[in-house]
Amino acid sequence: MRKRFPKLIIANAILFCAIAADAQFFKPKSGLQPMRSAVDLIKKQAPLRVNQALLAKISPGDVHVIISLGKQRAYLMVGEEIVVDSPISSGKQGHTSPSGSMHILEKDPNHFSSLYGDFVDSSGRIVRAGVSMHIDAAPSGTHFQGAAMKWFMRLTDEGVGMHVGILPGYPASHGCIRMPSDGAKLFYDHVKVGTAVEVQPAA
């Protein structure tokens, strides 16, 4: 007498075949690359590097700063030696960071932008995020709250400076030089108002 497969085994076999067929049907076309996450992009930038031996010897009167828009790096320098090498995110297309010889004009540990931020209600709830003070109209019952710019070091009278910010791995700011928190703090602690800053253009 021929043995019969249990119904459960047959059902599982049919399900497996259906899944395999779907996998082939929905397989991406050759040459298409999967979307990369923000984490993958961040990993492209080398992490913060610090020469601890030099850092222990310097004072704000000894240093100068070089910012490379092409390399997306900021360097705290003593002479020709790099003390701190930090990743950055500079101004995106249409908001390119200015280049040239500058100086630190102001230091503010808890600065807030007067141009970019969020509209919040009376309870502090964000109603509309990522707005421009001069372009976006405030929704009824809200007020403008400037974006936090921790460890702010002003470079221009127009408001461009170095400060803590998100680093997606490419130029993404409205002109400022975004830095990781630990990098911004190191620069802030070792520069003074008047410290020379050279911003090198991308090309």
Side-chain angles (χ1 to χ4, degrees), residues 116-131:
Y116 302 101
D118 306 315
F119 287 129
V120 301
D121 61 19
S122 58
S123 64
R125 182 177 62 92
I126 296 174
V127 175
R128 187 182 299 168
V131 301

Side-chain angles (χ1 to χ4, degrees), residues 25-77:
F25 182 77
F26 290 109
K27 187 176 181 180
K29 294 180 180 179
S30 178
L32 293 179
Q33 298 295 323
M35 290 184 65
R36 289 177 295 172
S37 69
V39 173
D40 291 332
L41 292 170
I42 291 170
K43 288 179 180 176
K44 280 185 159 186
Q45 289 181 289
L48 182 77
R49 293 191 287 261
V50 183
N51 185 325
Q52 295 292 348
L54 274 178
L55 187 68
K57 299 176 183 177
I58 65 173
S59 67
D62 302 328
V63 304
H64 64 281
V65 175
I66 295 177
I67 297 169
S68 172
L69 301 183
K71 295 179 180 177
Q72 290 291 283
R73 308 294 294 185
Y75 307 98
L76 184 69
M77 309 284 296

